[in-house]
C-alpha cells in the first residue's frame, strides 16, 4: 500500500549526492513538493536560497501551493522529490514553465514505459540521469523506512544540454 499523497521523505545523503555534481553555485531554487523540508534544508546548508512549497501542510514551507496549476516559474532552478504518481506531470509542467535546470529524485523504473517514452523522453530528453549504484531506503513520511530498502533510485536532470547520458553515484 502506498503512502497517502505519495509522501516519502528524502534522506539527506541523496540530496547531497546530487549537489556534489550539480547546482554547485549558490542559487535561488524552487522546491515545489517540500514535505517536512528535509531536501530544502540540505539545499540551504549548501548556501542555496530555497522557495519551499507544497500542496499539503506538513509544517514546512508555503502550503496549498499546487505546482501543476502554476502559470509562471518563481526562479530558474528546481530540485524536488515529487509524488511519484504525478512525476511525469510535474516534469512536463517544469518544461512548460521553462526552468533552466531541474532535478527530480525518482525510482529508476521511471525510465520504463513506451507511453512515458513517447510523451516525455522522446520529446524532452533529460541531460543526465545519476543512478545510485547502492540501492537506497526512502522513508514513509517522516516515520518508518519503506519495507524493503532495496529500491533503485536516480536523480533525473533536465537542462539546456539534453544529451541523455547516465552516470553513477
Amino acid at each position: 500500500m502506498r503512502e497517502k499523497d505519495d509522501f516519502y521523505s528524502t534522506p539527506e545523503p541523496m540530496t547531497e549526492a546530487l549537489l556534489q555534481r550539480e547546482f554547485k553555485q549558490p542559487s535561488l531554487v524552487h522546491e515545489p513538493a517540500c514535505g517536512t523540508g528535509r531536501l530544502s534544508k540540505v539545499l540551504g546548508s549548501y548556501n542555496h536560497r530555497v522557495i519551499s512549497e507544497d500542496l499539503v501542510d506538513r509544517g514546512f514551507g508555503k502550503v496549498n501551493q499546487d505546482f501543476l496549476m502554476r502559470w509562471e516559474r518563481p526562479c530558474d532552478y528546481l530540485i524536488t522529490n515529487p509524488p511519484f504518481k504525478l512525476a511525469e506531470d510535474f516534469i512536463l509542467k517544469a518544461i512548460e514553465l521553462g526552468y533552466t535546470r531541474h532535478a527530480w529524485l525518482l525510482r529508476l523504473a521511471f525510465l520504463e514505459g513506451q507511453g512515458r517514452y513517447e510523451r516525455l523522453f522522446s520529446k524532452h530528453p533529460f541531460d543526465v540521469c545519476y543512478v545510485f549504484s547502492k540501492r537506497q531506503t526512502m522513508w514513509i513520511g517522516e516515520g518508518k523506512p519503506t519495507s524493503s530498502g532495496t529500491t533503485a533510485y536516480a536523480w533525473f536532470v533536465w537542462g539546456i544540454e539534453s544529451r541523455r547520458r547516465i552516470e553513477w553515484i
Side-chain angles (χ1 to χ4, degrees):
M1 181 194 289
R2 299 195 56 79
E3 177 67 12
K4 182 178 181 342
D5 300 317
D6 264 356
F7 176 50
Y8 294 88
S9 189
T10 308
E12 289 81 356
M14 293 177 82
T15 304
E16 291 168 351
L18 172 70
L19 296 177
Q20 291 165 7
R21 292 157 179 81
E22 298 277 342
F23 304 93
K24 294 181 179 181
Q25 297 296 329
S27 306
L28 181 59
V29 178
H30 186 204
E31 212 299 37
C34 70
T36 57
R38 288 179 77 179
L39 193 153
S40 292
K41 290 172 186 173
V42 173
L43 290 170
S45 75
Y46 277 71
N47 298 315
H48 292 288
R49 291 175 295 127
V50 186
I51 300 167
S52 300
E53 300 178 332
D54 205 310
L55 181 61
V56 178
D57 186 355
R58 294 193 175 85
F60 190 88
K62 188 174 181 182
V63 298
N64 299 317
Q65 302 299 302
D66 187 342
F67 180 69
L68 297 176
M69 298 303 291
R70 274 197 165 278
W71 289 93
E72 59 186 4
R73 68 180 190 274
C75 59
D76 291 333
Y77 303 110
L78 180 150
I79 302 174
T80 195
N81 170 7
F84 189 77
K85 65 185 173 191
L86 299 175
E88 184 178 337
D89 294 332
F90 267 57
I91 293 166
L92 288 169
K93 185 66 172 183
I95 291 166
E96 173 189 322
L97 293 173
Y99 283 87
T100 303
R101 197 137 184 93
H102 43 106
W104 308 86
L105 181 60
L106 301 166
R107 294 188 313 234
L108 186 57
F110 189 74
L111 283 171
E112 300 173 340
Q114 183 176 351
R116 183 172 295 131
Y117 171 77
E118 291 170 359
R119 291 183 305 270
L120 177 62
F121 296 125
S122 69
K123 295 175 184 157
H124 309 285
F126 56 80
D127 179 27
V128 61
C129 175
Y130 294 107
V131 178
F132 285 91
S133 58
K134 180 181 177 191
R135 291 189 173 211
Q136 303 292 304
T137 300
M138 291 290 260
W139 295 86
I140 298 171
E142 282 293 332
K144 52 193 176 216
T146 53
S147 59
S148 64
T150 58
T151 304
Y153 288 97
W155 281 102
F156 292 78
V157 182
W158 272 261
I160 56 173
E161 295 180 44
S162 299
R163 296 190 306 167
R164 214 178 327 208
R165 71 184 192 276
I166 296 176
E167 296 184 16
W168 283 264
I169 297 175

